[in-house]
Amino acid sequence: ASSDATGRRLNFTIFWLPDDDRPMLLAYQASSQTEMELELSRQIRARLMAEADLAAKSRELMRANADLESFAAIVSHDLKAPLRHMRMIADDLIVQTSERGDAVSASKLLHLQDLSRRMSHMLTELFDYASLGRKYEALAATDTAAFVQTIIDSLPADGFEVKAEGHWPVIQTLAAPFDLILRNLIQNAIQHHDRVHGKIALKCAQEPGYLVISVADDGPGIDPRHHSAVFLPFRTLEKASKAGGTGMGLAMVKKTVETAGGSIEIVSEPAVSRGTRFIVKWPNLITN
């Protein structure tokens, strides 16, 4: 603060604007620094500090997205190479089995080829999804009924009856994440079932703004004490560990659902009845 010949005081407050990389000078004149002036100064300081914090977080998010895109590119490339090699080996084996008249083996090898092509396609879609700055650019009209049936047909579900019920509409959505969610939930139900035979039911209903999708099984169930833990990375229950699970499937499902603006919950009480039901609220409109 400084005073002129009349005794009036000129007050200065200097702030640094990180986004513009320059200082800002606030000058005001008063005979005394009132409580209002002090409060104004505090509010301006708090706002600038909040803006600086937001700018720092935005830069960190940009770096994280760049790292994710780079990682996705590397994974996509490294996984596609062995998939192509698998298809080449399958081609040779199909010729050999056909020459021997082994139709069963030839049929299984053709199925293996189809699965490897589908995995390669999904890797491409997931890479494209990770590379986009704005997710709505990846939106595509998706017939969810045909989509879910394709997933069911591609899964090794010997001994399990997997059915889709309810109304599955055509929506504009993100196909790769939608596939990841449903595929993982079905695989999870099969992998952690305690019997060699079981039933899995997928149902879909519409609520304002959302598709409500449930994936229910008749397995052993999940104790309510563990409902939160099963969504954590690398967390497996004892039975899941014995089944060979890594604990990443449900963690990826939860993150994917929430990133799209939806939610997921578990309904299961083994002490009352068998079975587990995962309920996914998937947004009809994805804009972020």
Side-chain angles (χ1 to χ4, degrees):
S2 63
S3 300
D4 59 15
T6 63
R8 291 177 300 179
R9 188 168 60 180
L10 190 62
N11 299 288
F12 298 95
T13 303
I14 300 176
F15 302 97
W16 183 260
L17 303 178
D19 287 345
D20 298 330
D21 195 28
R22 63 179 177 83
M24 181 184 75
L25 176 65
L26 175 65
Y28 51 93
Q29 189 178 38
S31 58
S32 65
Q33 193 172 25
T34 65
E35 286 298 322
M36 182 178 293
E37 292 167 349
L38 289 171
E39 180 61 25
L40 174 63
S41 178
R42 283 194 292 268
Q43 289 183 7
I44 293 175
R45 184 181 294 109
R47 177 176 178 179
L48 291 174
M49 290 176 64
E51 290 176 350
D53 183 58
L54 180 61
K57 290 180 178 178
S58 178
R59 289 191 294 269
E60 182 62 28
L61 180 60
M62 290 176 64
R63 284 195 295 268
N65 285 337
D67 291 342
L68 175 61
E69 182 176 345
S70 176
F71 175 75
I74 294 170
V75 170
S76 178
H77 176 271
D78 289 351
L79 288 181
K80 282 184 177 181
L83 284 173
R84 285 193 297 268
H85 189 55
M86 286 171 56
R87 288 199 297 273
M88 291 173 62
I89 294 174
D91 287 339
D92 294 338
L93 291 174
I94 288 172
V95 173
Q96 295 176 20
T97 54
S98 297
E99 290 175 349
R100 295 198 303 266
D102 189 350
V104 175
S105 296
S107 176
K108 290 183 178 179
L109 287 168
L110 286 171
H111 185 56
L112 176 64
Q113 282 187 320
D114 290 339
L115 291 177
S116 66
R117 288 192 187 95
R118 180 171 179 78
M119 182 180 291
S120 180
H121 179 65
M122 289 307 303
L123 284 171
T124 299
E125 287 191 338
L126 287 172
F127 170 62
D128 292 342
Y129 174 65
S131 301
L132 293 172
R134 301 171 69 185
K135 291 187 298 185
Y136 68 77
E137 295 176 15
L139 292 174
T142 302
D143 182 343
T144 58
F147 199 86
V148 72
Q149 191 59 50
T150 299
I151 294 173
I152 292 173
D153 292 341
S154 69
L155 290 172
D158 293 343
F160 286 86
E161 180 184 349
V162 185
K163 288 187 176 181
E165 305 171 356
H167 175 60
W168 295 80
V170 176
I171 60 172
Q172 290 283 333
T173 195
L174 301 165
F178 193 68
D179 183 287
L180 182 149
I181 291 165
L182 294 179
R183 185 177 298 276
N184 272 277
L185 289 177
I186 298 171
Q187 287 177 326
N188 184 77
I190 295 172
Q191 183 178 14
H192 303 314
H193 206 289
D194 59 342
R195 298 173 180 172
V196 294
H197 299 283
K199 294 183 178 181
I200 300 169
L202 287 78
K203 295 183 179 180
C204 183
Q206 288 187 294
E207 288 185 359
Y210 293 92
L211 289 184
V212 181
I213 301 169
S214 69
V215 179
D217 63 60
D218 57 355
I222 301 174
D223 192 301
R225 294 175 300 172
H226 304 309
H227 284 187
S228 297
V230 297
F231 288 119
L232 298 176
F234 303 110
R235 294 291 184 90
T236 60
L237 305 180
E238 183 180 1
K239 291 181 180 178
S241 180
K242 289 179 180 179
T246 63
M248 283 301 297
L250 291 179
M252 289 194 298
V253 166
K254 181 177 175 62
K255 183 174 182 180
T256 303
V257 170
E258 292 180 347
T259 298
S263 63
I264 183 170
E265 63 174 306
I266 302 176
V267 177
S268 183
E269 291 190 37
V272 178
S273 62
R274 289 176 58 83
T276 299
R277 183 159 55 106
F278 287 89
I279 301 174
V280 175
K281 281 192 171 183
W282 184 257
N284 287 331
L285 180 62
I286 300 175
T287 59
N288 296 321

